[in-house]
Structure formats: C-alpha cells, structure tokens
Amino acid sequence: MSGSKCTRLTGALVKPVLDSVDSVLFDCDGVIWRGDQAIPGASQVINLLKESGKKVFFVTNNSTKTRKMYAEKMTTMGFNATEEEVFGTAYCSAMYLKNECKLEGKKVYLIGSNAMRDELQAVGIQQTGVGEDHISGKQIDWANVDLNPEVKAVVVGFDEHFSYTKLNRALQYLIQQPGCLFVGTNRDSRLPLEGGKAVPGTGCLLQAVETAAQRQAQTVGKPNRYMFDCVASQFGVDPGRCLMVGDRLDTDIMLGSNCGLKTLLTLTGVSTVEDAEAHQKSGCAERQGMVPDYYVESIADLLPALQG
C-alpha cells in the first residue's frame, strides 16, 4: 500500500488494494454509466467483484428514482444488481425520517419527485406537495396560505416543479408548525452534463428554502455519513475494509474520508486529478478530505486484476 495519497491505481498495485477490502461502494452517474450509456467495462468489473466474493453497493445522491427503478436500469445495462444493493437519497431520506425522526405513520411536506413519494409511502410516511402547486386569485395572502396541520417535517429533494409557491409554503410550515423538522436529500448545486453543459441541482432548491427559513436543513446524502451508515447497518460493512469509488471529490471522496473508507477517484465524470492535487497542496484540513487515496482513468482499469 502506498503511503502517499492520490496514487494512480494500476498494474501490480490493483490486486493488493482489492484484496484489502470486502465491500465496494460505487457512485453511479460518471462512474458506472454516463446518462444512459454504461461506462465500457463497468458491468464486467461489478460482476467480477461479486463473483470474487465482494459485497457491492450503489450510493447515489439522485432522488428522482426509486431503488427498484435503479435496479431495473442496471439489469438492462448488464449489471448484476439487486434492489437491496441500491442506496439512493429517495430511499435513504425515507429511512432517515422513519428511523431517526420517528415519523412512521405521520405526514411531511415534500418538495420532491414521485420516486421520493413512493419511497416514503413504502415506509409508512404520507406526503403532501408532490407535483405542481398553483394558488389562484388576484390577491394572494402569502403569509396565510393553507397548511396541513398534520405535517411534521419539510423534506426537500429534486423537484422540477419547484416554484415561489412551494418555497413560500415550505417557509410557512417551518415557521408556523411547532417542532417542524427540516430535511434535505443533498447539497449538489449543479449537475454536469455531456459537452460542458450543466443544470441546477437539488442544492439550489434546498438553499432557497434555507435562506427563506433562516435555518439549515439536516442532509442525508453524500458526503453525510448517514448514507454509509444506512448500508453498514443493513449489511454489516466494516469501514476499514471498504472502498468508495466515485467521480466527485466533494461528495464521493469526502464521504469516504468522513467514514474512514479507502477512496478511489475515477476520471470518467466530474473531478480531475488536478482538482485533487490542488486540495492536497492547499494546506486546508477540510480540503484534505477531498483527496482520494487512489485514482483510475476508468473503473475498467480494474479489469486485468479481476480477470487474472
């Protein structure tokens, strides 16, 4: 094992690193696929890791799909994956609200997707808020909009129908309902796309609600360790023998650092080696958490060691 961080994982280095772990966590977009295209060789890597006895899990900050939807997408792409191995923020938020906030049988105001609604319902939590929110009338009394008295928390995920109306309704719940909890899926501020394009991420919506409420939400997704705890509690994962593989330094690699995991950056997504080296040279303690132990051009670089 190399003593220095940000080491290229190649050749004879690969097998000892893989031998040192029992479990591997993979981010999805930018790591095992890009959009609707699998990264070449990725399905073979996942399937061979499993054949060699490793536990493999998928951890994603995307809250627009249920575990079932992810498992179906993976199967279509040739990955040997089950619903139970997928930990997205829609599912992890539902688990957090059920187990940590004790909201089973209760109701939340949801700024989010149909997938979040479905994952909440699966653990016995009802929601109001999904879909478009229109208030009619020429003179709207914004400070006195209708609120559901049963709502115990405001939950913010990705919502293509986000609006001033929803922002205001969330604020009114947070300031008018005593003890109203405030939970967000993740803080990713933008989602990079092919060709240098990008779209706003959930973090933008969450920050809007936080700014209005003058209050910070508890987030569930990466780099918050709750996501790893979700996996570890269900499958008995030992952090000292676990590898986190991702393409983003601020979410994937930071999650690994926060949880004491080995970390591997793959260069098929967002972050670059130059980004990692800049963090390493910064002298800032927090930024050191975004420096991976290893990096590869693609997770397909692991194939020779797995096939050997």
Side-chain angles (χ1 to χ4, degrees), residues 48 55-56 83 101 115 125 127 150 210 272 299:
L48 286 169
K55 293 178 185 172
V56 175
E83 199 175 320
C101 304
I125 298 172
Q127 64 76 40
E150 295 175 16
E210 288 180 326
T272 65
I299 63 165

Side-chain angles (χ1 to χ4, degrees), residues 27-28 58-67 70 86-97 110 113 115-117 119-120 155-158 183-188 202 218-224 226-228 230 251:
D27 175 44
C28 295
F58 306 93
V59 289
T60 170
N61 275 358
N62 187 328
S63 64
T64 64
K65 290 184 173 68
T66 61
R67 305 175 96 186
Y70 266 111
V86 179
F87 289 80
T89 48
Y91 170 76
C92 289
S93 296
M95 294 304 288
Y96 181 82
L97 291 161
L110 177 62
S113 61
M116 289 189 70
R117 176 199 63 202
E119 294 286 20
L120 287 169
V155 183
V156 181
F158 186 82
V183 175
T185 55
N186 63 291
R187 297 189 178 278
D188 299 38
T202 303
Q218 173 62 51
T219 51
V220 171
K222 300 174 292 188
N224 189 302
Y226 183 76
M227 208 148 193
F228 173 73
C230 241
T251 54

